[in-house]
Amino acid sequence: MSLNRKYIPILVTILLFIVMFAAGSFRYTGFFSLQVLMNLLVDNAFLLITAVGMSFVILSGGIDLSVGSVIALSTMVSASLVQQHGWPPAVVIPLVLLMGAVFGSLMGAIIHYFDIQPFIVTLAGMFLARGLCYVISIDTITIDNAFYTAVAQTRIPLPGGSFLSISAVIALLVVAGAIFTAHYTRFGRNVYALGGSEQSALLMGLPVARTKVLVYTLSGLCSALAGVVFTFYMLSGYGLHAVGFELDTIAAVVIGGTLLTGGVGYVLGTFFGVLIQGVIQTIISFEGTLSSWWTKIVIGLLLFIFILLQRVLSSRRLTLKE
C-alpha cells in the first residue's frame, strides 16, 4: 500500500517534532516531562490561535499580514477600556472579538470585490491597525483588573503535578473547532476548493465571494482572540506587542505542511508547526549558552526545507497528471 503524497508534509512535521523532543529529552535532564510538553501550549497559545486563522487564509490561496497588528490593537483596546475607562471584561472581550472579525471581513471584501492582491490589502491593514494603537496611547497600559489577573494566574491541574493555563485550553478548543470546520463542514470544503483553483470553484457554482470574505473574517476573529489571550499573558496593552508576529505565524503554517499556493494542508499540521517552534525555544532555553536568535536561524532552515519539499511534491504531482 503506497502512501498518499498529500500526507507526506504533515507526517514529516509530526516526525520532526517527535525527533526534536526526543533529542532534547536525551540531552537535558528534566526535559522529558509532561510539564515541558504542556509549557509548549502555555507559552504559545496566542501563536496557535493566530496560526489556525492563518491556516484557513493560506489554504484559500491568500495571505494575511495584519495578524500581529490586530493582536497589538486588541491588547490596546482591551487595556484602555478596562484600565482607563473602567469597562467590565464581559463587555470588552466580546467587543474586541467583534472588532477583529469586522476588520477581517472588510479586508476580505476589498480583496474580492476590488480584485486586489491579499498581500497589498493586508499590508495596508497591518499599518492601519498598528497606527490605531498609537492613537490610543504611545505608552504601555498595565492591567491590574481582578478578572484578568485571575485568568492569568489560574492553573488547571493535570496528573503528575503538571498544569495548563486557561489560555492553553482556549487554544486547544480553537484547534479542535478548526479541525472540525476544515474537514467536516461545507465551508471547509469550499476553502480547499477555492485554494485549489478559484476559477474551477466559480465554474462549480461554489460561493467564492462569501467563502473568501469569511476566511478573512475568521482570521481577524482569531487574531483578536489571540490578542485577548496575549493580554492575559502579558497583563498589558502596548503598540509594539507582536511586532513581526505575522512572519512567525506564516512560518508555523508552512512548517505544518500547508502549501503556500493553497488547497493543500491540515490544521493539525499547523498545530505541530507551532509546537516545533516552541520546542526549538525550549531546547535553546535548556542549553543556556545559545542566543534566542538561534530560534530564527533554525526556523529559517526548516522553512527552506519545507518549501523545497512542497516544490518537489508539487512537481511530481504535475508530472503524474501529464
Side-chain angles (χ1 to χ4, degrees):
M1 186 176 67
S2 62
L3 180 65
N4 193 324
R5 284 188 178 83
K6 68 179 182 180
Y7 296 126
I8 292 177
I10 186 174
L11 289 176
V12 171
T13 302
I14 295 172
L15 185 63
L16 180 64
F17 170 73
I18 294 171
V19 168
M20 292 177 79
F21 194 81
S25 302
F26 278 112
R27 179 167 172 78
Y28 308 108
T29 304
F31 193 98
F32 186 72
S33 71
L34 182 60
Q35 190 55 56
V36 170
L37 198 58
M38 293 300 103
N39 283 345
L40 298 180
L41 295 172
V42 172
D43 295 334
N44 295 285
F46 43 89
L47 176 59
L48 192 51
I49 295 169
T50 317
V52 165
M54 184 68 82
S55 296
F56 281 90
V57 172
I58 293 180
L59 280 172
S60 73
I63 198 82
D64 188 354
L65 299 179
S66 69
V67 293
S69 300
V70 173
I71 289 173
L73 182 60
S74 300
T75 67
M76 286 300 285
V77 171
S78 299
S80 174
L81 292 180
V82 169
Q83 198 65 30
Q84 296 181 335
H85 299 282
W87 287 31
V91 174
V92 172
I93 292 174
L95 186 67
V96 166
L97 297 181
L98 179 65
M99 177 198 73
V102 170
F103 193 82
S105 65
L106 287 175
M107 288 194 299
I110 292 171
I111 288 167
H112 180 74
Y113 293 109
F114 291 90
D115 194 21
I116 303 175
Q117 287 295 320
F119 176 85
I120 301 298
V121 176
T122 57
L123 182 69
M126 181 182 81
F127 282 114
L128 176 62
R130 189 70 70 181
L132 287 172
C133 293
Y134 297 105
V135 172
I136 298 170
S137 175
I138 58 171
D139 300 318
T140 304
I141 305 174
T142 304
I143 299 175
D144 60 5
N145 179 275
F147 173 79
Y148 279 82
T149 51
V151 171
Q153 294 169 0
T154 298
R155 295 182 171 187
I156 300 169
L158 296 175
S162 304
F163 68 88
L164 266 181
S165 65
I166 291 179
S167 299
V169 174
I170 293 172
L172 288 174
L173 290 175
V174 169
V175 170
I179 290 174
F180 177 81
T181 304
H183 303 298
Y184 299 103
T185 66
R186 183 176 296 175
F187 169 70
R189 289 191 290 275
N190 291 343
V191 170
Y192 277 95
L194 180 62
S197 170
E198 184 172 339
Q199 196 62 33
S200 299
L202 276 171
L203 291 173
M204 286 190 292
L206 297 178
V208 170
R210 188 174 66 195
T211 305
K212 198 178 285 187
V213 172
L214 279 177
V215 160
Y216 286 93
T217 304
L218 181 62
S219 179
L221 177 64
C222 285
S223 301
L225 180 59
V228 171
V229 168
F230 200 78
T231 312
F232 293 146
Y233 191 74
M234 300 295 289
L235 286 177
S236 68
Y238 186 36
L240 286 177
H241 276 332
V243 170
F245 200 69
E246 54 280 349
L247 302 182
D248 292 334
T249 309
I250 294 169
V253 176
V254 173
I255 291 172
T258 300
L259 203 62
L260 268 173
T261 51
V264 178
Y266 298 93
V267 175
L268 184 63
T270 299
F271 175 76
F272 280 98
V274 171
L275 292 187
I276 285 174
Q277 290 200 29
V279 85
I280 293 169
Q281 291 166 349
T282 307
I283 287 174
I284 289 171
S285 171
F286 268 76
E287 184 64 33
T289 56
L290 293 175
S291 164
S292 62
W293 284 105
W294 276 98
T295 307
K296 306 293 181 188
I297 294 169
V298 176
I299 290 172
L301 289 172
L302 288 177
L303 272 177
F304 275 127
I305 293 168
F306 274 83
I307 289 170
L308 286 174
L309 176 66
Q310 290 180 359
R311 185 64 181 170
V312 170
L313 292 175
S314 300
S315 302
R316 286 189 176 182
R317 188 168 53 185
L318 289 173
T319 305
L320 287 174
K321 282 183 179 178
E322 290 170 359

